[in-house]
Amino acid sequence: MIELKNVTKEFKVGAKDKVVALKDINLHVQKGEIVLLKGPSGSGKSTILSLIAALNKPTIGEVIVDGKRVSKLADNFTSLFRRENIGFIFQRYNLIPSLSAKENVIVPLIPSNPDSNWLEDRLQELFQNFSLESKMEVMVKNLSGGEQQRVAIARALVNNPSIIIADEPTANLDKKLSLEFIEILKKLKNGHNSIIIASHDPLFFDLDFIDRQIDIHNGEIL
Amino acid sequence: MLLTPEIITILALDFIFLFFGTIAFFISIRIARYWDLNSTTPLQYKLEKQSFLVATIIKYIFVVKLPLFLFFIFTANKLSNVIVGAMCAAGVVNSVSFGSAMFFYKILNLYIFGFWLVLNHFDLKNENQPYTRYKFLLYAIGFIFLLVEIYLDIDFFTSLDVSKLVSCCGALFSAASTSSFSFIFTVNKLYFVYIFYAIFVLLMISYIFKNAFVVLSLNLIYVFIAIISLIVFFGTYIYQLPTHHCPFCMLQKNYDYIGYVVYITLYIGTFFGISGAIMSILEKKKEKFYYNVSAIFNVIYAIIISAYPITYYIKHGAWL
Amino acid sequence: MKSKINLFLFDFSVLSIFRRGSKNIFIFFVFTLLIFLLSSVLFISNSIKSELDTTLNALPDITVQRLQAGRAINMPLSRLNKLLAIDGVNAVIPRVWGYYYFANAGANFSVVGIDQFEDQYRDLYTKLCDKFNFDKLKKDSGMLIGSGIDQMLKNNFYQGYFNFVKPDGSLAKVKIDGVFKADTALESNDVIVMPIKKVREIFGMKPDEAVDFVIKVANPSEIPNIARKITEIYPDTRVITKEDLKISYQNLFDYKGGLFLALFVISTFTFFMIIYDKASGVSSDEKREIGILKAVGWTIDDILKEKFYEAFVISFVSFITALCLSMFYVYFLNAPLLRNIFIGYSNLKPAFDLPFSFDFQTFAIIFFLTVPIYIAATIIPSWRVASMDADEVMR
Ligand SMILES: Nc1ncnc2c1ncn2[C@@H]1O[C@H](COP(=O)(O)OP(=O)(O)O)[C@@H](O)[C@H]1O
Ligand SMILES: [Mg+2]
């Protein structure tokens, strides 16, 4: 369960100025729920996601995930929190281009020094699911956009996260690949994962597996 | 002043410690003063990040210091060839008035820096970081200790004098010596042996019941009695000479460097015992891992050290 | 507590080194060169030291010189009996020797006179005696020369003999009876051995004088006592014991090595700045990468660990590479160029081989002076990188 309580987020710009990205937001996401955050660019969607993932801290208010006050965690504990709970799908894939597909997927697991047999099985499973078996050893920068997106999804899922966060996941994909992505997303809904998508792509607007759509405007929930 | 490559090496690393230690010191002071996990100010975020710099620096200093200390003894042993009268590190170390004190001081610092790392480890295990303030205060004190150590290093190496005649260990570690610990040679050495084994048995029992205060005090006593009994009794069996009481000569090649094994096991055993006990008190929970490591190494120490007189007795059918 | 080494992290670090190859290769080369210089110098000085040690061990227990106005002058043979009478003295041997300056080559030869199988030379010259007939040498008034001198004379077109210029200007032609190559090349390469009578003739010395006395002692622990007694009997003498020589040689070498090291330490700190600078320059790609790592759950500690592995791998590989290179350079190639620093008198002391001598201590010194310093230089830059904000990736 994810809870944002009276969250305001300001960004300092320059020496004195500040941008108010979020204004006194309250948000509740249930376990297993799929939520779409929509709104124009600059409305504060990414900021909400980064607060949930504890990449950032609210200026006022607090963020609570599974009873844990993640907005109070010190930097290294936020990392541990993400490692255990969050799977990230970014707008720009955010893969490490000079590593192979397999190496990219392993990255989130490296710090926990996994058992190598278990890891092999997990990778086989993921790469099969995303029909990437033949691309395992290929360097990511030599993969097509769709393949890169699938590698990015595989990476987000490798740690079995309870929360999946996708920031503009279709922004760099053409229509066909976008629909493909939506199919994958549909399969991820299993009642255990909360999925939060931030997007202004109309493709998402009338999908029946999305439980709730939230409109954001100028840092406020409408 | 002697300008040997060994001394330059030690001083160069001292300089690095000084440089990074000072940076860490100033950050530590700030953290100790302003740390507030509940605050969301930029200062707090900055301190959270800087705390990792300090931790890294301290890890670095400790990890380099451990082998460097062994290297220091090694160097002192080597200098004994150059300094007239010295046969081993004991003579060299004691060629300056504060030699012995400096030596024990260095060991004390190894315990302090090591304990800092343990405290840090526990601090970072808990989201509330309960020990942050204390660990940085501890470092601030540890840094002062480090400064003194570096000063002593420099003073020591600059006052070494090749032409000055120094005592060899035979003279230093005997009843006739005027040093503060010479009284131990006037007591029947078997008493120390009995005490050593008595403490050892009590220590082993304490690991069963795991009362932190008992484990802590017994480990502290164990270090002292282990070293004293090593000097008055067990060492003589390593050397196979009833009059050879030096705790340094066993670090030399003639004795297969057995001294390094002996002291390192003693250090690990008591270090884990002491820090495990302190952490048990702070965490209000028995730190089994630390106790186990401590027990294992303390047993290894006792076995090694007992093996010498026993094999001697088996071979010769008599005690020294 | 998990103590298993994280091989995945290690792999990742090694890959990172290669991924940022051009930056790392530069550091690797400079660092390897630096370690190479350091270890070569230490190896050479060790080698020379061990060579000297062998020579010094062959030295007499006590050497007695006579001083006048602070300079050594010849010793009357008449003093011999009084010295022999001191308790504990086994033998007193008068030595006749000197340096002959050979102007054409600009070099000094050590000319040593021997009579028979004198004790003090036994160690040094028994090997020669197997090969050369000393009786013949004496009859002919010929000489034996070290291989270095042989080379030098050949270069100056002397074949089979050499003309010494005596103090009165006349020439003494001496036949070369043989060439020797001793174990301790450093000391005996420039030595000429010939009968005492001939040495006296060449240097114009009186027959009842020697250059100095060497004394053999029954019990080495008595040396300081005997030395004291000698100065009591003959206050105008200088008594040099083997121990004195050893210590002063040791100091001289430690001093020379130390001076070099001091320079080395300075250059190391320069290098420290270079690494610091290189490691601080973080590209935008690298920044993004750190952001990704933190977003997917790496802690500051994990990134610091990764950076530490990188630094350790680079510095350790440099260390091993440089060590191998300099072993090859010093012991196989005989350290061309560099050794001249140590044996400044290279044309006086002709060529010799550097004997292999390697101990744990040298290894430790080289290690401590390089790897930890490299790693230290990366501490602050690594921490800067590791503590960057992760929300970079969201933009
Ligand atoms: N790190 C930052 N520094 C300054 N301003 C920021 C930062 N991140 C976001 N903002 C500002 O906050 C507002 C919300 O941004 P964002 O959450 O990225 O919007 P969206 O994802 O909906 O496009 C924007 O005005 C943006 O300029
Ligand atoms: Mg956005």
Side-chain angles (χ1 to χ4, degrees):
Chain A
M1 194 189 68
I2 303 161
E3 214 181 342
L4 271 72
K5 278 191 191 162
N6 308 321
V7 167
T8 298
K9 177 67 186 174
E10 294 168 356
F11 288 104
K12 273 219 175 73
V13 184
K16 270 185 279 175
D17 293 342
K18 57 187 179 186
V19 179
V20 183
L22 296 175
K23 285 174 220 151
D24 200 24
I25 292 259
N26 283 290
L27 180 68
H28 236 91
V29 179
Q30 297 299 331
K31 193 175 167 158
E33 203 179 7
I34 300 196
V35 174
L36 174 69
L37 302 177
K38 57 184 186 182
S41 180
S43 55
K45 305 182 296 294
S46 298
T47 307
I48 293 182
L49 296 186
S50 67
L51 287 177
I52 293 172
L55 285 173
N56 237 322
K57 291 195 161 80
T59 316
I60 305 171
E62 51 188 23
V63 181
I64 299 166
V65 177
D66 287 336
K68 184 180 283 197
R69 234 170 271 268
V70 297
S71 50
K72 282 265 170 70
L73 292 177
D75 192 285
N76 56 317
F77 290 106
T78 65
S79 293
L80 289 176
F81 160 73
R82 284 190 292 275
R83 185 189 301 174
E84 280 154 21
N85 301 291
I86 307 267
F88 245 120
I89 301 166
F90 305 94
Q91 171 177 355
R92 292 164 55 186
Y93 319 131
N94 271 336
L95 297 167
I96 299 174
S98 45
L99 289 180
S100 72
K102 182 176 159 186
E103 284 154 356
N104 263 288
V105 175
I106 294 176
V107 163
L109 297 176
I110 288 178
S112 44
N113 197 10
D115 173 73
S116 34
N117 290 331
W118 173 86
L119 183 66
E120 266 324 300
D121 292 347
R122 179 87 186 122
L123 289 175
Q124 283 303 329
E125 185 190 334
L126 278 170
F127 277 80
Q128 243 157 39
N129 279 353
F130 294 105
S131 348
L132 284 165
E133 297 110 305
S134 56
K135 309 285 178 179
M136 258 178 141
E137 308 294 344
V138 180
M139 222 186 251
V140 156
K141 65 179 169 206
N142 299 329
L143 293 177
S144 72
E147 284 163 343
Q148 289 196 32
Q149 179 70 310
R150 293 202 309 264
V151 173
I153 300 169
R155 183 182 65 186
L157 297 179
V158 72
N159 57 341
N160 271 320
S162 56
I163 299 167
I164 297 166
I165 288 176
D167 191 19
E168 312 277 7
T170 56
N172 283 7
L173 302 178
D174 60 23
K175 178 125 191 233
K176 181 170 159 276
L177 288 173
S178 297
L179 289 172
E180 218 171 77
F181 173 79
I182 288 170
E183 279 313 298
I184 294 173
L185 206 57
K186 203 164 155 185
K187 279 193 231 154
L188 291 179
K189 182 173 184 177
N190 59 11
H192 308 297
N193 300 329
S194 309
I195 304 178
I196 304 170
I197 308 151
S199 182
H200 55 260
D201 186 341
L203 276 178
F204 285 98
F205 292 172
D206 35 34
L207 295 170
D208 50 2
F209 69 92
I210 290 184
D211 299 310
R212 194 147 53 104
Q213 302 197 0
I214 297 170
D215 279 300
I216 319 272
H217 237 278
N218 274 334
E220 286 174 295
I221 292 178
L222 298 179
Chain B
M1 171 174 188
L2 283 169
L3 204 62
T4 74
E6 291 81 4
I7 294 176
I8 290 178
T9 305
I10 292 175
L11 292 181
L13 286 173
D14 272 351
F15 179 78
I16 297 251
F17 294 162
L18 185 65
F19 177 74
F20 283 99
T22 309
I23 295 176
F25 175 72
F26 285 110
I27 299 176
S28 291
I29 295 285
R30 261 181 17 147
I31 294 178
R33 275 180 63 184
Y34 300 115
W35 183 265
D36 176 10
L37 209 53
N38 287 321
S39 147
T40 50
T41 58
L43 174 67
Q44 173 63 17
Y45 295 154
K46 201 169 150 191
L47 294 183
E48 280 171 19
K49 286 174 174 172
Q50 286 183 338
S51 73
F52 283 90
L53 178 59
V54 177
T56 310
I57 290 173
I58 297 172
K59 268 180 216 167
Y60 172 84
I61 293 179
F62 180 72
V63 169
V64 179
K65 234 167 168 314
L66 269 183
L68 193 65
F69 177 65
L70 300 181
F71 184 71
F72 174 84
I73 303 173
F74 206 87
T75 302
N77 270 326
K78 187 214 164 192
L79 287 173
S80 65
N81 299 329
V82 185
I83 290 181
V84 186
M87 278 165 55
C88 67
V92 178
V93 167
N94 282 293
S95 71
V96 296
S97 56
F98 53 89
S100 294
M102 172 180 81
F103 192 77
F104 288 109
Y105 185 78
K106 274 175 174 286
I107 295 175
L108 175 70
N109 277 355
L110 288 182
Y111 277 96
I112 293 178
F113 274 74
F115 179 69
W116 194 93
L117 292 182
V118 173
L119 194 61
N120 184 51
H121 175 75
F122 277 89
D123 189 42
L124 294 182
K125 263 191 358 194
N126 189 323
E127 281 170 13
N128 297 324
Q129 305 207 345
Y131 307 120
T132 302
R133 267 225 154 81
Y134 304 109
K135 79 182 182 194
F136 287 107
L137 273 177
L138 176 66
Y139 172 71
I141 297 166
F143 176 69
I144 307 292
F145 277 62
L146 181 71
L147 278 188
V148 174
E149 186 183 335
I150 292 172
Y151 171 78
L152 288 178
D153 269 353
I154 295 171
D155 198 14
F156 174 67
F157 288 126
T158 46
S159 42
L160 276 184
D161 186 353
V162 265
S163 51
K164 192 176 122 191
L165 196 71
V166 304
S167 318
C168 85
C169 53
L172 287 163
F173 295 96
S174 71
S177 143
T178 52
S179 59
S180 46
F181 42 78
S182 62
F183 77 92
I184 60 175
F185 298 103
T186 59
V187 183
N188 184 344
K189 62 186 177 186
L190 283 181
Y191 291 160
F192 291 112
V193 180
Y194 297 147
I195 298 175
F196 172 76
Y197 283 113
I199 298 289
F200 176 72
V201 170
L202 287 178
L203 188 63
M204 288 303 125
I205 295 172
S206 77
Y207 288 126
I208 298 171
F209 295 103
K210 299 191 174 56
N211 178 306
F213 288 100
V214 178
V215 174
L216 176 62
S217 10
L218 283 174
N219 266 293
L220 286 172
I221 299 171
Y222 189 67
V223 188
F224 283 100
I225 189 66
I227 290 175
I228 293 173
S229 60
L230 183 67
I231 293 174
V232 295
F233 179 77
F234 295 106
T236 58
Y237 284 88
I238 294 177
Y239 305 126
Q240 312 224 329
L241 251 184
T243 51
H244 198 167
H245 289 295
C246 179
F248 290 93
C249 281
M250 64 182 79
L251 294 158
Q252 286 180 325
K253 198 178 173 181
N254 321 9
Y255 307 102
D256 300 325
Y257 299 113
I258 186 68
Y260 288 100
V261 180
V262 168
Y263 289 121
I264 289 171
T265 42
L266 183 62
Y267 174 76
I268 297 177
T270 51
F271 173 76
F272 274 83
I274 292 169
S275 43
I278 296 178
M279 287 326 296
S280 298
I281 295 168
L282 294 176
E283 294 271 289
K284 299 186 177 62
K285 152 173 166 261
K286 297 184 166 103
E287 294 302 333
K288 291 206 183 95
F289 172 79
Y290 286 79
Y291 288 161
N292 290 342
V293 174
S294 169
I296 291 169
F297 278 89
N298 282 339
V299 168
I300 295 176
Y301 175 82
I303 291 175
I304 295 176
I305 220 66
S306 311
Y308 279 92
I310 292 170
T311 44
Y312 184 90
Y313 186 79
I314 293 171
K315 266 195 204 147
H316 301 87
W319 302 106
L320 263 178
Chain C
M1 233 168 106
K2 209 169 182 180
S3 54
K4 211 177 88 186
I5 291 177
N6 190 337
L7 287 177
F8 293 104
L9 191 61
F10 190 78
D11 272 357
F12 187 88
S13 304
V14 174
L15 269 175
S16 295
I17 294 174
F18 287 111
R19 284 193 290 134
R20 282 181 264 285
S22 53
K23 173 171 158 183
N24 289 322
I25 211 135
F26 168 78
I27 291 182
F28 176 80
F29 273 123
V30 178
F31 197 50
T32 306
L33 180 72
L34 203 70
I35 303 175
F36 171 77
L37 278 178
L38 171 70
S39 47
S40 296
V41 168
L42 286 181
F43 289 165
I44 295 171
S45 92
N46 264 0
S47 205
I48 294 176
K49 229 190 236 174
S50 80
E51 173 109 357
L52 267 177
D53 272 351
T54 343
T55 314
L56 287 172
N57 278 330
L59 280 180
D61 299 326
I62 299 177
T63 310
V64 187
Q65 295 173 333
R66 186 178 164 208
L67 296 183
Q68 187 178 53
R71 277 175 297 118
I73 56 168
N74 286 346
M75 185 81 96
L77 287 177
S78 55
R79 291 185 172 191
L80 204 137
N81 285 336
K82 252 193 183 164
L83 294 181
L84 254 180
I86 298 173
D87 286 339
V89 171
N90 262 7
V92 181
I93 302 137
R95 294 199 304 185
V96 179
W97 61 280
Y99 294 116
Y100 181 82
Y101 183 66
F102 179 37
N104 288 10
N108 269 313
F109 301 155
S110 312
V111 183
V112 177
I114 39 176
D115 251 352
Q116 296 134 27
F117 297 90
E118 280 167 354
D119 278 354
Q120 92 260 24
Y121 295 119
R122 192 163 281 160
D123 292 341
L124 207 54
Y125 296 115
T126 25
K127 284 207 188 88
L128 309 181
C129 300
D130 293 342
K131 288 186 208 140
F132 304 104
N133 185 338
F134 270 72
D135 291 334
K136 178 170 173 270
L137 187 70
K138 210 171 164 188
K139 244 194 310 200
D140 292 4
S141 290
M143 63 183 177
L144 297 175
I145 59 177
S147 52
I149 292 185
D150 184 44
Q151 198 53 47
M152 215 178 272
L153 291 185
K154 278 194 180 125
N155 290 344
N156 286 283
F157 311 109
Y158 280 103
Q159 291 284 352
Y161 72 97
F162 181 71
N163 282 330
F164 288 93
V165 183
K166 292 196 273 189
D168 61 9
S170 60
L171 294 181
K173 179 172 170 177
V174 184
K175 234 179 92 195
I176 299 171
D177 274 346
V179 179
F180 60 84
K181 188 166 172 33
D183 284 347
T184 57
L186 177 63
E187 279 304 302
S188 36
N189 230 345
D190 68 339
V191 168
I192 296 179
V193 180
M194 62 175 83
I196 281 187
K197 233 179 84 194
K198 203 78 201 171
V199 180
R200 285 212 169 95
E201 185 193 330
I202 288 169
F203 291 127
M205 280 161 43
K206 291 185 199 135
D208 60 347
E209 282 182 353
V211 171
D212 51 23
F213 292 165
V214 298
I215 295 178
K216 287 223 75 171
V217 164
N219 176 2
S221 63
E222 282 293 300
I223 289 176
N225 263 335
I226 295 172
R228 209 194 59 240
K229 276 184 197 154
I230 296 171
T231 35
E232 274 167 14
I233 300 173
Y234 294 114
D236 66 341
T237 54
R238 171 160 66 194
V239 182
I240 303 158
T241 64
K242 194 195 232 173
E243 211 54 33
D244 292 339
L245 280 176
K246 265 191 182 170
I247 289 178
S248 59
Y249 267 107
Q250 177 95 294
N251 285 342
L252 182 74
F253 264 94
D254 278 345
Y255 183 74
K256 265 197 162 176
L259 222 54
F260 166 79
L261 268 181
L263 284 176
F264 176 82
V265 169
I266 294 169
S267 51
T268 308
F269 280 99
T270 321
F271 181 70
F272 184 97
M273 300 314 290
I274 297 176
I275 308 166
Y276 186 94
D277 184 57
K278 279 268 160 190
S280 301
V282 181
S283 65
S284 61
D285 270 357
E286 207 175 339
K287 254 187 207 158
R288 188 157 199 90
E289 189 174 316
I290 299 294
I292 296 171
L293 294 180
K294 289 183 96 172
V296 301
W298 288 41
T299 61
I300 293 186
D301 247 355
D302 295 324
I303 296 169
L304 284 171
K305 227 181 260 166
E306 193 269 332
K307 294 279 166 201
F308 163 75
Y309 283 159
E310 274 186 43
F312 184 77
V313 168
I314 293 180
S315 55
F316 198 72
V317 171
S318 282
F319 172 72
I320 297 291
T321 313
L323 225 55
C324 294
L325 281 178
S326 76
M327 284 217 190
F328 179 77
Y329 169 76
V330 173
Y331 298 121
F332 196 78
L333 300 180
N334 253 309
L337 297 177
L338 252 190
R339 70 174 180 169
N340 295 348
I341 298 174
F342 271 83
I343 316 139
Y345 37 77
S346 59
N347 59 336
L348 301 191
K349 297 273 179 188
F352 60 91
D353 286 341
L354 294 168
F356 185 80
S357 112
F358 183 76
D359 53 356
F360 165 75
Q361 209 168 333
T362 317
F363 183 81
I365 291 173
I366 300 168
F367 180 83
F368 277 123
L369 273 181
T370 53
V371 175
I373 291 182
Y374 181 97
I375 291 172
T378 63
I379 289 180
I380 291 180
S382 300
W383 168 77
R384 283 235 177 90
V385 168
S387 58
M388 277 183 328
D389 282 328
D391 66 338
E392 175 87 9
V393 278
M394 298 295 284
R395 271 170 268 150

PDB file of all heavy atoms in Angstrom, chain B residues 2 84 133 148 157 217 227 235 242:
ATOM      1  N   LEU B   2      67.500   8.291  10.643  1.00  0.00           N
ATOM      2  CA  LEU B   2      67.761   7.279   9.626  1.00  0.00           C
ATOM      3  C   LEU B   2      66.779   7.483   8.488  1.00  0.00           C
ATOM      4  O   LEU B   2      65.596   7.648   8.724  1.00  0.00           O
ATOM      5  CB  LEU B   2      67.524   5.892  10.201  1.00  0.00           C
ATOM      6  CG  LEU B   2      68.595   5.341  11.113  1.00  0.00           C
ATOM      7  CD1 LEU B   2      68.078   4.092  11.785  1.00  0.00           C
ATOM      8  CD2 LEU B   2      69.838   5.031  10.313  1.00  0.00           C
ATOM      9  N   VAL B  84      73.439  -0.640  17.343  1.00  0.00           N
ATOM     10  CA  VAL B  84      74.380  -1.415  18.126  1.00  0.00           C
ATOM     11  C   VAL B  84      73.715  -1.928  19.398  1.00  0.00           C
ATOM     12  O   VAL B  84      73.092  -1.169  20.134  1.00  0.00           O
ATOM     13  CB  VAL B  84      75.601  -0.554  18.501  1.00  0.00           C
ATOM     14  CG1 VAL B  84      76.645  -1.411  19.189  1.00  0.00           C
ATOM     15  CG2 VAL B  84      76.163   0.099  17.266  1.00  0.00           C
ATOM     16  N   ARG B 133      25.645   9.500  16.035  1.00  0.00           N
ATOM     17  CA  ARG B 133      26.307  10.517  16.844  1.00  0.00           C
ATOM     18  C   ARG B 133      27.520   9.962  17.555  1.00  0.00           C
ATOM     19  O   ARG B 133      28.598  10.550  17.541  1.00  0.00           O
ATOM     20  CB  ARG B 133      25.338  11.030  17.912  1.00  0.00           C
ATOM     21  CG  ARG B 133      24.563  12.221  17.518  1.00  0.00           C
ATOM     22  CD  ARG B 133      24.574  13.209  18.683  1.00  0.00           C
ATOM     23  NE  ARG B 133      24.380  14.547  18.157  1.00  0.00           N
ATOM     24  CZ  ARG B 133      23.165  15.007  17.846  1.00  0.00           C
ATOM     25  NH1 ARG B 133      22.081  14.261  18.018  1.00  0.00           N
ATOM     26  NH2 ARG B 133      23.053  16.225  17.369  1.00  0.00           N
ATOM     27  N   VAL B 148      48.396  11.653  17.858  1.00  0.00           N
ATOM     28  CA  VAL B 148      49.475  11.373  18.798  1.00  0.00           C
ATOM     29  C   VAL B 148      50.353  10.243  18.258  1.00  0.00           C
ATOM     30  O   VAL B 148      51.582  10.306  18.319  1.00  0.00           O
ATOM     31  CB  VAL B 148      48.902  11.003  20.182  1.00  0.00           C
ATOM     32  CG1 VAL B 148      50.008  10.562  21.118  1.00  0.00           C
ATOM     33  CG2 VAL B 148      48.144  12.184  20.757  1.00  0.00           C
ATOM     34  N   PHE B 157      61.274   7.837  14.900  1.00  0.00           N
ATOM     35  CA  PHE B 157      62.240   7.636  13.824  1.00  0.00           C
ATOM     36  C   PHE B 157      63.317   8.708  13.807  1.00  0.00           C
ATOM     37  O   PHE B 157      64.442   8.445  13.420  1.00  0.00           O
ATOM     38  CB  PHE B 157      61.531   7.558  12.471  1.00  0.00           C
ATOM     39  CG  PHE B 157      60.767   6.290  12.288  1.00  0.00           C
ATOM     40  CD1 PHE B 157      59.435   6.301  11.958  1.00  0.00           C
ATOM     41  CD2 PHE B 157      61.400   5.063  12.468  1.00  0.00           C
ATOM     42  CE1 PHE B 157      58.728   5.123  11.799  1.00  0.00           C
ATOM     43  CE2 PHE B 157      60.702   3.873  12.310  1.00  0.00           C
ATOM     44  CZ  PHE B 157      59.359   3.910  11.981  1.00  0.00           C
ATOM     45  N   SER B 217      34.734  -8.393  30.300  1.00  0.00           N
ATOM     46  CA  SER B 217      35.824  -8.275  31.272  1.00  0.00           C
ATOM     47  C   SER B 217      36.809  -9.431  31.127  1.00  0.00           C
ATOM     48  O   SER B 217      38.016  -9.226  31.231  1.00  0.00           O
ATOM     49  CB  SER B 217      35.311  -8.184  32.707  1.00  0.00           C
ATOM     50  OG  SER B 217      33.955  -8.461  32.783  1.00  0.00           O
ATOM     51  N   ILE B 227      49.503 -12.070  27.420  1.00  0.00           N
ATOM     52  CA  ILE B 227      50.796 -11.484  27.087  1.00  0.00           C
ATOM     53  C   ILE B 227      51.806 -11.716  28.203  1.00  0.00           C
ATOM     54  O   ILE B 227      52.962 -12.086  27.958  1.00  0.00           O
ATOM     55  CB  ILE B 227      50.635  -9.985  26.757  1.00  0.00           C
ATOM     56  CG1 ILE B 227      49.902  -9.851  25.418  1.00  0.00           C
ATOM     57  CG2 ILE B 227      51.983  -9.291  26.692  1.00  0.00           C
ATOM     58  CD1 ILE B 227      49.566  -8.452  25.019  1.00  0.00           C
ATOM     59  N   GLY B 235      56.785 -18.135  26.083  1.00  0.00           N
ATOM     60  CA  GLY B 235      57.840 -17.691  25.184  1.00  0.00           C
ATOM     61  C   GLY B 235      59.117 -18.504  25.354  1.00  0.00           C
ATOM     62  O   GLY B 235      59.775 -18.869  24.385  1.00  0.00           O
ATOM     63  N   PRO B 242      65.305 -21.144  28.938  1.00  0.00           N
ATOM     64  CA  PRO B 242      64.564 -20.677  30.124  1.00  0.00           C
ATOM     65  C   PRO B 242      64.769 -19.197  30.439  1.00  0.00           C
ATOM     66  O   PRO B 242      63.965 -18.604  31.151  1.00  0.00           O
ATOM     67  CB  PRO B 242      65.118 -21.554  31.254  1.00  0.00           C
ATOM     68  CG  PRO B 242      66.391 -22.094  30.746  1.00  0.00           C
ATOM     69  CD  PRO B 242      66.294 -22.168  29.266  1.00  0.00           C
TER      70      PRO B 242
END
